[in-house]
């Protein structure tokens, strides 16, 4: 019993605490996505075929917390045999607790709630291009990449290559560096409807009954010897945030060129 209570994951989080957080937050989120929204999951059969380590999920981003929460619920539902749908609450008793997600330090240290969510598997990274809501040009912290690499050796990692909830912003090269260095299986995920359904944080409901979709695509065919720009371009296309997917209004907007600027 003592071993179970004091066992930790590779980032130092107590597994027992993660289980409690998964159950408490998961129960609330599970009920919300099942009962308050028209939640559509696609491609979850892919999840059951994956190894338990060195898998990187890359996705577009629409809210701070709701995106990653539904993804974790989808993992657990698929693991317990619920294909393309959210399972009843008991599936959380047999969830995959070796799941980690990349999040900005400044976002995850703002409240007790976000600090608790960090204990569920958050990998806190310093955004080099933004600080306290303002543009910045900060030095890259190599320890961030090391933490993500360590998490990949233990399980699955969720990351959002754009590093922002703003759509069609070009991805950050850090994601490509991680793929090139650690050579994970990369699963693209495309989401939609979260922005209509929740506030920016993904906590408060804006529109009940809205359609929320999450699509898991087959593993990317990546040449790990390619340069980071090539890998990043491939990633952005896979999550449908590259230029080919721009809406007509954005294609005609002269400010679009600013969105194409990327920093590491």
């Amino acid at each position: 019993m003592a071993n179970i209570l004091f066992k930790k994951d590779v980032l130092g989080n107590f597994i027992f605490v993660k289980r409690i957080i998964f159950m408490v937050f998961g129960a609330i989120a599970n009920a919300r996505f099942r009962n308050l929204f028209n939640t559509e999951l696609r491609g979850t059969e892919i999840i059951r075929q994956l190894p338990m380590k060195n898998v990187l999920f890359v996705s577009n981003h629409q809210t701070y917390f709701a995106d990653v929460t539904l993804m974790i619920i989808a993992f657990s539902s698929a693991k317990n045999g619920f294909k393309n749908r959210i399972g009843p609450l008991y599936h959380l008793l047999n969830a995959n607790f070796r799941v980690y997600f990349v999040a900005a330090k400044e976002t995850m240290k703002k409240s007790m709630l976000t600090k608790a969510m960090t204990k569920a598997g958050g990998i806190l990274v310093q955004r080099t291009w933004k600080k306290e809501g303002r543009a910045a040009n900060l030095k890259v912290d190599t320890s961030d990449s090391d933490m993500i690499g360590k998490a990949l050796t233990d399980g699955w990692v969720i990351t959002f290559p754009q590093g922002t909830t703003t759509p069609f912003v070009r991805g950050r090269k850090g994601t490509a560096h991680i793929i090139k260095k650690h050579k994970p299986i990369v699963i693209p995920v495309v989401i939609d409807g979260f922005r209509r359904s929740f506030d920016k944080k993904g906590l408060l409901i804006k529109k009940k009954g809205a359609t929320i979709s999450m699509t898991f695509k087959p593993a990317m065919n990546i040449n790990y010897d390619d340069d980071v720009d090539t890998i990043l371009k491939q990633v952005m296309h896979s999550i449908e945030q590259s230029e080919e997917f721009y809406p007509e209004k954005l294609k005609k907007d002269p400010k679009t060129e600013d969105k194409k600027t990327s920093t590491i």
Side-chain angles (χ1 to χ4, degrees):
M1 182 65 179
N3 288 338
I4 296 175
L5 288 175
F6 295 105
K7 190 173 182 180
K8 296 182 179 181
D9 64 22
V10 293
L11 299 185
N13 301 308
F14 287 102
I15 300 294
F16 181 70
V17 173
K18 289 181 75 170
R19 285 178 179 270
I20 294 174
I21 294 172
F22 270 46
M23 285 301 302
V24 172
F25 287 102
I28 297 171
N30 206 78
R32 278 180 152 192
F33 286 117
R34 272 174 64 97
N35 303 318
L36 300 182
F37 302 103
N38 176 29
T39 304
E40 300 177 351
L41 300 179
R42 305 183 187 97
T44 64
E45 65 276 4
I46 292 167
I47 296 170
R48 299 195 71 181
Q49 301 167 6
L50 297 171
M52 293 308 296
K53 298 179 180 180
N54 206 34
V55 179
L56 182 69
F57 293 85
V58 293
S59 176
N60 60 313
H61 200 18
Q62 295 192 348
T63 70
Y64 292 170
F65 306 117
D67 314 6
V68 72
T69 302
L70 180 57
M71 207 175 299
I72 291 173
I73 288 173
F75 294 164
S76 178
S77 295
K79 178 184 177 182
N80 288 280
F82 299 100
K83 180 182 176 182
N84 291 334
R85 63 190 179 98
I86 298 173
L89 187 59
Y90 67 80
H91 73 82
L92 291 169
L93 294 171
N94 187 37
N96 178 6
F97 298 104
R98 302 288 181 175
V99 175
Y100 304 87
F101 58 93
V102 179
K105 285 181 182 178
E106 60 183 88
T107 299
M108 301 303 288
K109 292 186 175 182
K110 288 184 176 180
S111 68
M112 291 300 294
L113 175 63
T114 55
K115 289 177 181 178
M117 292 183 73
T118 300
K119 296 297 182 182
I123 305 172
L124 305 190
V125 300
Q126 177 64 58
R127 291 188 292 194
T128 59
W129 67 95
K130 190 176 183 182
K131 186 175 183 180
E132 297 178 355
R134 299 190 178 191
N137 186 20
L138 305 177
K139 185 179 179 181
V140 174
D141 188 345
T142 56
S143 65
D144 291 347
S145 177
D146 293 339
M147 281 194 297
I148 296 171
K150 185 182 292 186
L152 284 168
T153 65
D154 186 56
W156 297 353
V157 174
I158 300 167
T159 190
F160 303 97
Q162 292 161 294
T164 176
T165 56
T166 303
F168 301 107
V169 173
R170 188 172 180 181
R172 306 290 167 174
K173 292 183 181 180
T175 298
H177 281 290
I178 290 164
I179 293 171
K180 189 172 177 65
K181 180 178 180 180
H182 299 288
K183 299 177 174 57
I185 294 172
V186 182
I187 303 297
V189 184
V190 177
I191 66 169
D192 194 23
F194 289 85
R195 195 174 286 110
R196 292 188 297 272
S197 305
F198 294 96
D199 68 337
K200 189 173 183 179
K201 292 183 179 179
L203 299 175
L204 300 179
I205 295 174
K206 284 169 55 178
K207 186 178 180 181
K208 293 181 181 179
T211 296
I212 294 174
S213 66
M214 179 170 285
T215 302
F216 294 87
K217 295 184 175 183
M220 293 177 61
N221 182 17
I222 295 177
N223 180 352
Y224 299 107
D225 292 326
D226 281 343
D227 58 57
V228 293
D229 289 322
T230 300
I231 293 174
L232 181 60
K233 184 177 181 180
Q234 190 177 353
V235 167
M236 296 305 292
H237 184 270
S238 72
I239 62 173
E240 300 181 7
Q241 292 293 295
S242 57
E243 292 181 43
E244 299 94 315
F245 297 96
Y246 284 1
E248 287 301 318
K249 183 179 178 181
L250 187 60
K251 289 178 181 178
K252 297 175 182 178
D253 187 351
K255 294 181 180 179
T256 300
E257 290 303 316
D258 295 334
K259 292 190 174 187
K260 295 179 185 178
T261 302
S262 172
T263 58
I264 295 176

